[in-house]
Amino acid sequence: MVIVGGGDSAFDWALALHSVAKSVTLVHRRDKFRAHASTVARVQALPVSILVNAEVTRVHGTDRITGADIVVKGAEPALYPADTVVAALGFTADLGPLADWGLTLDRRHIVVDTTMATNLARVFAAGDISDYPGKVRLIAVGFGEAATAVNNAAIIIDPSAHLFPGHSSDGT
């Protein structure tokens, strides 16, 4: 197994899978990690190969993954056998063409109201790209924001729709 990343997700995957995978190689493009120091130390104490200043340049396989080319800075690519590649990569928000739409932005985030609506009519945003006072950037929050955005967009698209479709646990 090859895990790509240097943050908490990558190290959590390594912790969770080292005991069930034949081998685990963690590949990170820098020599510093964003993961919590105690988690990094725990993984370093395991039989996990950690490659720094490295990147996966190619994944091999047709019907299934068979390996990955990994290049450590200053070295030739090396083929690592693998049947799984986990991309646990962070990101930098890049709005691309959305930056030219006239949306109200706060740094690289789209400002929304409590309905997840932007300043542009019929345009909604949810997840890490959206921003409002008190925003907590968690996956669980993004799921809730998406449901809020969809329900509020639905009544604009179809005025006969209901804002609140019912409880997900409602048996009727």
Side-chain angles (χ1 to χ4, degrees):
M1 165 171 294
V2 172
I3 301 170
V4 184
D8 289 310
S9 293
F11 279 86
D12 288 347
W13 278 106
L15 280 174
L17 298 173
H18 81 278
S19 63
V20 295
K22 184 175 179 180
S23 68
V24 174
T25 301
L26 190 141
V27 180
H28 187 48
R29 61 187 165 89
R30 296 180 307 195
D31 60 358
K32 302 265 191 266
F33 304 110
R34 289 189 177 166
H36 193 275
S38 66
T39 307
V40 172
R42 286 175 58 201
V43 172
Q44 288 173 327
L46 297 172
V48 171
S49 175
I50 300 175
L51 303 176
V52 296
N53 297 316
E55 61 184 51
V56 173
T57 58
R58 182 175 177 203
V59 176
H60 296 272
T62 306
D63 296 330
R64 63 180 191 83
I65 294 172
T66 58
D69 287 344
I70 299 174
V71 178
V72 176
K73 188 175 181 180
E76 292 296 314
L79 175 61
Y80 284 72
D83 57 17
T84 304
V85 175
V86 175
L89 304 169
F91 69 95
T92 300
D94 180 2
L95 295 171
L98 294 178
D100 300 326
W101 282 21
L103 294 161
T104 300
L105 304 176
D106 183 7
R107 287 165 274 166
R108 295 183 309 239
H109 298 102
I110 300 169
V111 176
V112 296
D113 64 17
T114 58
T115 68
M116 305 311 295
T118 69
N119 63 300
L120 299 179
R122 301 172 68 95
V123 177
F124 293 78
D128 289 335
I129 201 68
S130 68
D131 197 34
Y132 50 84
K135 169 80 174 204
V136 177
R137 296 193 189 288
L138 295 173
I139 290 171
V141 172
F143 284 127
E145 291 172 353
T148 298
V150 166
N151 277 280
N152 284 284
I155 60 172
I156 291 172
I157 295 165
D158 178 4
S160 68
H162 298 285
L163 175 61
F164 185 68
H167 295 282
S168 61
S169 58
D170 189 0
T172 57

